[in-house]
Amino acid sequence: MDPATVRSIERAAEIVARRAQDGPAARALGLRLSHVTAPTGLGYQHYTPSLSVVLAGRKRSIVGDDDRVWGRERFIITPVDLPVVSGVVETDPQLGFLAARWQLSPALVGEVAAAMPRTGRPPGQLDRLGTWSPALADAFARLLALLDEPEHVPVLGPLIAREIVLRLLETEQAPRVLAAVDDGDPVVPRAVELLTGRMAEPWSMSALAAEVRTSQPTLFRRFKEATSMTPMQYLKRLRLGEARHRMVVLGESAAQAASAVGYRSAPHFSRDYRHLYGESPAADSARLREQLRLGAFDGRLSPGA
């Protein structure tokens, strides 16, 4: 990273280190802040459209087959609701692990994009990790600085939010940012809505494509561009995350949870679950229920932002 970007990231990290526990102030800016003092196991969370950044330490993020370890030099855009498995793998000796997630408004993206020159999508596969520009890092640090000046949030908050979207649209991640509005063609958002709301149904690519009124190749391509997963990979991750929640938080058995999310085969469910979380459903849920009882985590099943 260039020196200006480093300075902005360091300024942002210092603010998050001080204000990570101030939930109401962060929410007023569309932020979720995280401060973790030690590495964690992998956890599941359903991300809404957002910009995710690491300001100190490193984390592992698994989206479909894309398994990355990353830190403050990169950022991730989530353009649509997305099931993510992640965990903290390294903490900074002084700061621990610091991260922030900023809500990405599809309406705001559409407004800013409409005022900018249109550019074509770059050829080839888009990397899921974005690279900071000095202007983007500076704008994000200034958004976080408003945590120390809450009286200025009503005036400066919307202005800085528009600038962050503009700076994102100037990076190589612009196509993924624009996928939040999907150029007026709601193929991916509609598919995500169907899979999320009706995950227990026996979906196939042909059935999903028919529901969103597009061809299977178009659905496959657009969905993979936006989420880094195929629709069926997305559905599997949704089901496993919801099953884990049902076992740990609601106290359901593995068989009950598997059936509730759409698995028709208990061995198939157990195999998929162990592949993702590294333990059998019974062992994993028992361990997490004990952590929940002891107050070691908050029930979201996801460490870090």
Side-chain angles (χ1 to χ4, degrees):
M1 291 190 293
D2 66 275
T5 300
V6 171
R7 287 193 296 271
S8 293
I9 296 297
E10 290 177 345
R11 186 165 75 250
E14 184 274 328
I15 295 168
V16 173
R18 288 189 290 102
R19 303 302 298 268
Q21 303 307 314
D22 194 345
R27 285 192 293 272
L29 289 166
L31 289 163
R32 178 185 168 190
L33 308 179
S34 178
H35 183 199
V36 176
T37 58
T40 69
L42 290 174
Y44 168 88
Q45 190 168 357
H46 198 90
Y47 277 24
T48 56
S50 55
L51 162 66
S52 298
V53 307
V54 170
L55 301 170
R58 299 180 70 78
K59 73 184 295 185
R60 180 184 178 193
S61 298
I62 306 173
V63 177
D65 294 328
D66 193 312
D67 188 343
R68 306 286 192 96
V69 174
W70 58 289
R72 68 178 190 170
E73 70 280 0
R74 308 298 293 272
F75 63 85
I76 288 181
I77 294 294
T78 304
V80 295
D81 289 3
L82 194 66
V84 177
V85 172
S86 64
V88 176
V89 298
E90 181 182 316
T91 57
D92 181 87
Q94 284 76 44
L95 299 174
F97 174 84
L98 298 169
R101 185 149 50 91
W102 180 63
Q103 179 181 344
L104 189 63
S105 164
L108 182 58
V109 171
E111 291 174 12
V112 176
M116 296 179 66
R118 302 294 288 178
T119 58
R121 294 189 176 197
Q125 182 67 33
L126 180 64
D127 194 327
R128 192 165 65 88
L129 295 175
T131 302
W132 289 101
S133 67
L136 174 60
D138 176 66
F140 193 75
R142 284 187 281 110
L143 180 75
L144 287 168
L146 289 179
L147 291 170
D148 292 329
E149 297 181 304
E151 68 277 13
H152 296 327
V153 168
V155 175
L156 295 180
L159 298 177
I160 298 176
R162 292 180 70 86
E163 182 181 354
I164 290 173
V165 171
L166 183 148
R167 299 306 183 187
L168 285 169
L169 290 172
E170 292 176 335
T171 72
E172 80 285 358
Q173 290 293 307
R176 186 159 284 131
V177 177
L178 289 171
V181 291
D182 218 359
D183 295 329
D185 182 4
V187 167
V188 177
R190 177 61 178 149
V192 166
E193 180 183 7
L194 287 168
L195 294 176
T196 302
R198 295 158 53 185
M199 73 173 70
E201 296 185 16
W203 286 106
S204 65
M205 276 293 295
S206 60
L208 185 60
E211 284 275 4
V212 300
R213 300 180 181 178
T214 192
S215 67
Q216 293 185 52
T218 296
L219 174 61
F220 185 96
R221 176 179 58 81
R222 296 287 294 278
F223 203 96
K224 190 75 179 287
E225 286 177 350
T227 69
S228 298
M229 288 184 277
T230 68
M232 295 304 102
Q233 287 174 323
Y234 185 99
L235 178 61
K236 179 190 290 187
R237 190 60 51 82
L238 276 178
R239 286 173 169 171
L240 292 173
E242 176 62 18
R244 200 186 202 200
H245 171 81
R246 298 179 78 95
M247 288 186 294
V248 175
V249 179
L250 304 183
E252 293 184 355
S253 67
Q256 289 173 321
S259 176
V261 301
Y263 273 90
R264 302 295 179 259
S265 164
H268 185 191
F269 170 69
S270 183
R271 183 169 60 251
D272 285 350
Y273 194 99
R274 185 185 291 273
H275 178 75
L276 181 60
Y277 294 116
E279 292 182 285
S280 70
D284 180 63
S285 59
R287 176 179 57 80
L288 290 175
R289 279 196 299 269
E290 179 63 12
Q291 290 182 12
L292 185 61
R293 185 184 69 82
L294 296 173
F297 78 106
D298 61 7
R300 286 192 299 260
L301 307 183
S302 178

